[in-house]
Amino acid sequence: MTMPINTIRSGLARSLAASSLLLTDELDQALALARQEGKPLSTVLVEQRLLSSAELARFCEQEYGLPLIDLNDFELDQVPPQYLGMDLIERHHVIPIYLQGKVLYLAMSDPTNVAALEDFSFRFNLVTDALLVEEDKLQQMLVRLQQGGSSGVLDLEHIEDSDIAGLVLDDSPVEQDDGLGRADEDAPIVRYINKIMLDAVRKEASDLHFEPYERFYRIRFRIDGMLHEVASPPVGLAARFAARLKVMARLDIAERRLPQDGRLKLRLTRNKSVDMRVNSLPTQWGEKIVIRILDSSGARLNIDQLGYDERQKQLYLSALRKPQGMILVTGPTGSGKTVSLYTGLSILNTVTANISTAEDPIEINLPGINQVQINPKAGLTFAHALRAFLRQDPDIIMVGEIRDLETAEIAVKAAQTGHLVLSTLHTNSAAETLTRLGNMGLPAYNIASSVSLIMAQRLARKLCPHCKVPEQVPEEQLRALGFTAGQQAQGVSLYRAVGCNRCTGGYKGRIGIYEVLPMSEKLAHLIMEGANSLTLAKAAEEDGMVSLHGSALEKARLGIISLAEVNRISG
């Protein structure tokens, strides 16, 4: 790496020469070493311990009147990836860390590096400005950036062909002759789609939507459960986008009349890859492509991080410790049911337990667990897999979803004969799950004797801790919202979303909201009597169950989520 001569002979050297911080000989030696090794003067001064990072930063702060910022307060994902070109970053020893409107701010330990400001400004047609940081922290962030996947950021501006070739399906490379030809005009399509996918992974999106309409085309990411438009390329490219995505997922590009399903794998680095599930759907104006990102490495399987209160956590752990019975997790699609189940399985996953799962699809890979991908076309249904499991000497069984009476009957039989069964249903509340099982055709006595715990859940967007602001709500309105006298006595700290460069619309990340219903003798009697879901819910709340709405209000009281989010997820 060769540093420009004007960086080495910068104003920093002249300022240091005029100060009493260094001896003339020390400064001359540092300049000579900087030229010899092609490093910036600031790096050499710190590496040779002529000045500490803090001393150099304080000197620059006083000499040039720039505020000193803590680089640890910034993340690499706060700047769009196209500005993270490694050639400019390594040449000038600076990092773009903040974009505000048309101003790109560069973190630098040498604020006299005018060449860096000019080069970035020319490359991206933006106004640039300097932010003073300590040299050692700048070096640490540079290492993270150069390592790529460790920080979740890749150099999208100068991505190599070898990186693009990392898109594979079932470990077989995507052929370059993909039906779109090798013409130069197709290369931008390939690069654009790969950059969109990489950007989606960087932003921790769960889904990508490629949507054609009559007069426009849009691309949206689902981030923290909400869709956000990220690009609107020319509508005339719709067919080429669909064709390229279908080729990557090994779909039939000639079939445009029927939906299709496929998979692909995006290899980010040598040791990290992300699986993606692809679905095409013929619409009025072309094929809509939706990609689900199945990034198991990002799944949090620590029960203390999922959002349970202490009572809910202990109820779940108690049910997991039972040698038999059924644990059911319920909620709409995308409510985090899979993560809750796998958190339980990770706790149970020991060398003494034989665990088998039937899933569609397998979203999280756990070593030590026998995972089976359901394939209805080949006749491998949930019920078929369950029957096979029971002949495999199982201790614990997880069924991705109970969809029909046959699967429900086998699951109940397994739970009654010495096996622990975990599964999911699509219902709105814990109590409704009990009535849904009855509506499927299960006898009441089987439901009462097999089910040990039901958890209904939702995912709420967490407020960004950097920009949330207090929200004042009158006491009478708190009562109307559902806050109990006990909650108000403990203190209510409500906040609302604002939005900053570190979040998406004032929200960053999600947390679980739970309704945990353990089976009790009272509930078992009510089930046998044919009670409806309202009666069952009332009895459970009398026994101490906190409803979804109550759990959401508690998270709002603690300042974790907003009242708007409470209303969105629980009405």
Side-chain angles (χ1 to χ4, degrees), residues 458-461 513 548 552 561 564-571:
R458 303 289 188 274
L459 286 177
R461 294 176 297 167
I513 306 295
L548 281 169
I561 68 175
E565 194 67 2
V566 172
N567 292 328
R568 186 182 72 84
I569 65 170
S570 67

Side-chain angles (χ1 to χ4, degrees), residues 74 124 148 171 186 325 440 523:
F74 291 81
F124 302 113
D171 297 326
D186 289 319
M440 280 185 176
L523 283 176

Side-chain angles (χ1 to χ4, degrees), residues 221-298:
F221 292 171
R222 187 176 294 278
I223 302 172
D224 293 337
M226 302 294 286
L227 283 169
H228 302 272
E229 184 172 337
V230 296
S232 183
V235 67
L237 297 176
R240 292 168 66 186
F241 279 140
R244 175 61 190 170
L245 290 166
K246 289 169 70 176
V247 164
M248 291 162 63
R250 290 290 191 268
L251 302 180
D252 183 359
I253 62 172
E255 178 57 74
R256 300 183 179 91
R257 300 166 298 174
L258 296 174
Q260 297 184 66
D261 291 291
R263 296 174 74 99
L264 61 88
K265 181 178 290 184
L266 177 63
R267 183 169 293 134
L268 302 176
T269 65
R270 182 172 298 178
N271 301 317
K272 177 178 172 59
S273 61
V274 176
D275 289 313
M276 297 185 176
R277 188 175 63 191
V278 182
N279 175 266
S280 69
L281 177 70
T283 68
Q284 183 179 7
W285 305 109
E287 288 182 280
K288 175 180 178 178
I289 309 291
V290 174
I291 300 176
R292 166 65 60 89
I293 300 177
L294 308 175
D295 184 8
S296 59
S297 65

Side-chain angles (χ1 to χ4, degrees), residues 407-429:
T407 305
E409 287 177 334
I410 301 171
V412 165
K413 185 179 295 184
Q416 292 174 332
T417 55
H419 306 93
L420 181 61
V421 179
L422 296 84
S423 189
T424 71
L425 273 85
H426 286 285
T427 57
N428 291 324
S429 68

Side-chain angles (χ1 to χ4, degrees), residues 34-56:
R35 294 189 187 97
Q36 178 182 340
E37 297 187 359
K39 293 181 179 180
L41 176 61
S42 56
T43 301
V44 172
L45 290 171
V46 174
E47 287 181 349
Q48 297 300 311
R49 299 185 179 179
L50 298 173
L51 289 174
S52 69
S53 290
E55 289 173 335
L56 179 61

